[in-house]
Amino acid sequence: MVKDAILLAISQPAIAAGVFIAGWIGIVLEFLFPAKVIPGALGGVLLLLSLWSLLPEHAALSVLLAAGMTLLTVPLLWIAWRARRNKVAR
């Protein structure tokens, strides 16, 4: 099956971490270009796929990757929320 072949290919930790980072970059691109849907959707799919491929054998690595990206994303969300709140309608 195609699903098993994809999961087998990215089940190596180095490849899964690269897919995870590519997914996170897609989500950051969604923040930079808010009208575009494709980068955020593709980034979310890549993030979930990489975490799902790592979970059985490398659960600690998945948790560390998710925690690290959360620590990077929360300040970005805070900045975006403050910028939107302080935006003046012209």
Side-chain angles (χ1 to χ4, degrees), residues 31 72-86:
F31 279 113
L72 291 172
T73 306
V74 167
L76 287 175
L77 285 171
W78 177 253
I79 291 169
W81 178 74
R82 282 185 31 213
R84 181 162 280 245
R85 185 186 64 182
N86 295 333

Side-chain angles (χ1 to χ4, degrees), residues 6-8 10-12 15-16 19 47-58 62:
I6 292 172
L7 285 177
L8 183 63
I10 67 166
S11 64
Q12 298 174 4
I15 295 173
V19 171
L47 281 173
L48 291 175
L49 183 65
S50 67
L51 288 176
W52 188 40
S53 70
L54 285 175
L55 274 180
E57 295 88 19
H58 305 285
S62 337

Side-chain angles (χ1 to χ4, degrees), residues 61-75:
L61 180 62
S62 337
V63 170
L64 287 176
L65 281 171
M69 292 303 140
T70 301
L71 288 175
L72 291 172
T73 306
V74 167

